[in-house]
Amino acid sequence: MHARTGPAARKPETSARPPLVRELLLVAGLFLLYKLGRQAATGRTGEAFQNADRVWDWERALHLPGEGSVQGVLLDSGTLVHLANTYYATVHFPATVLFLGWLYWRHPGHYVWARRALSVLTGAALVLHLLMPLAPPRLLAASGLVDTGQVYGPTVYGESPDTDALANQFAAMPSLHVGWALMVAVGLIVAMRSRWRWLWLLHPLLTLLVVIGTANHYWLDAFVAVALLTGTLAAIRAPRPGAPRRGSLVARSGVAQVPPVSPVAPVAPVASGAGR
């Protein structure tokens, strides 16, 4: 007799992609909201420099290494400092977009998780930008650091924060360069199965050295970004391998997948009186 199988035995749709147009509009809307929020924090020059003095003093009290120790390595080579400025200006946003695009195409379930995590991380960063405007170390005279972007180029910032209409230069805390780079590395490590996937951690490490060496961020900016991402990933768990994505056919129906039952071979009847 053969066991009957129904819709419950169908393979779950674990790779269903969310609608592309909706995702493009959502990501673009979130990015626009973030940019507008950053601009809302401009014009607080005095408060930004007061906070910069505090952060500088906190780092000295914690005996953190001076940012100048990293910048000194860059300044020994004009080529190296130019490469660092280029990395800071051109890698941050495109790398994150490519990361999301690759996940969307190859690992849709992980894409949804990564997009949510990045949205929460960026939203938390925006709140901190509004609550604590912070001048970067390149603008703080007490740091003795060089604004490598202005001196060696290229730079994404205007000469003066008060006249810069394209960027809020007082949004140093936390460093989203470091936060996004670490999320990219974590997302790729979780989604991939190659034994070489751990090398993606070089991306946030290099990003950390770049933002410190170019004097765009303090050490504490990076530490706060890592702390925010850690809390975000603790709340938004990565999908388990093979688990049906929320919204898939099986997840909506709530019916567990039942493995098909192998057909049972018929048993021949035993003749009465056999063996007599």
Side-chain angles (χ1 to χ4, degrees):
M1 183 176 62
H2 296 272
R4 298 176 60 186
T5 60
R10 284 183 286 183
K11 185 178 179 179
E13 298 176 7
T14 58
S15 59
R17 296 185 184 89
L20 178 59
V21 174
R22 187 195 71 183
E23 290 302 309
L24 291 175
L25 292 176
L26 179 60
V27 172
L30 290 173
F31 179 73
L32 179 61
L33 181 63
Y34 172 72
K35 294 294 289 185
L36 292 176
R38 279 174 60 107
Q39 290 300 319
T42 59
R44 299 160 66 181
T45 304
E47 187 179 354
F49 280 98
Q50 289 177 3
N51 289 330
D53 288 329
R54 293 191 185 99
V55 169
W56 187 257
D57 292 340
W58 292 341
E59 289 191 343
R60 308 292 76 78
L62 293 171
H63 302 289
L64 294 178
E67 285 81 356
S69 60
V70 179
Q71 187 174 86
V73 176
L74 297 182
L75 295 181
D76 286 339
S77 169
T79 301
L80 194 59
V81 71
H82 183 80
L83 288 174
N85 289 332
T86 303
Y87 189 95
Y88 180 86
T90 62
V91 173
H92 168 57
F93 189 72
T96 308
V97 171
L98 289 174
F99 161 69
L100 289 174
W102 182 80
L103 283 184
Y104 179 86
W105 183 252
R106 296 294 300 273
H107 303 276
H110 287 83
Y111 161 79
V112 174
W113 161 70
R115 189 249 293 151
R116 289 173 179 167
L118 282 171
S119 299
V120 172
L121 171 65
T122 306
L126 177 58
V127 172
L128 273 179
H129 294 336
L130 295 173
L131 294 177
M132 185 180 174
L134 179 65
R138 59 186 170 79
L139 298 179
L140 184 64
S143 70
L145 297 172
V146 177
D147 187 341
T148 60
Q150 295 293 339
V151 175
Y152 297 93
T155 181
V156 294
Y157 301 115
E159 293 185 7
S160 171
D162 295 328
T163 59
D164 194 342
L166 298 178
N168 175 16
Q169 298 192 40
F170 297 148
M173 174 76 77
S175 170
L176 279 181
H177 273 72
V178 172
W180 284 15
L182 183 57
M183 182 62 217
V184 168
V186 170
L188 291 173
I189 290 171
V190 170
M192 298 175 70
R193 292 293 175 264
S194 169
R195 62 182 176 179
W196 301 104
R197 66 188 186 277
W198 297 100
L199 292 177
W200 286 111
L201 288 174
L202 293 175
H203 174 46
L205 177 60
L206 181 58
T207 300
L208 172 63
L209 295 177
V210 164
V211 301
I212 298 298
T214 57
N216 281 292
H217 286 284
Y218 305 89
W219 292 109
L220 286 180
D221 297 339
F223 296 165
V224 171
V226 172
L228 288 176
L229 181 59
T230 301
T232 298
L233 295 180
I236 305 175
R237 299 298 181 90
R240 299 188 307 274
R245 187 180 64 84
R246 181 180 298 179
S248 66
L249 175 64
V250 171
R252 288 196 305 267
S253 64
V255 179
Q257 184 181 11
V258 179
V261 179
S262 301
V264 180
V267 180
V270 180
S272 60
R276 290 184 180 177

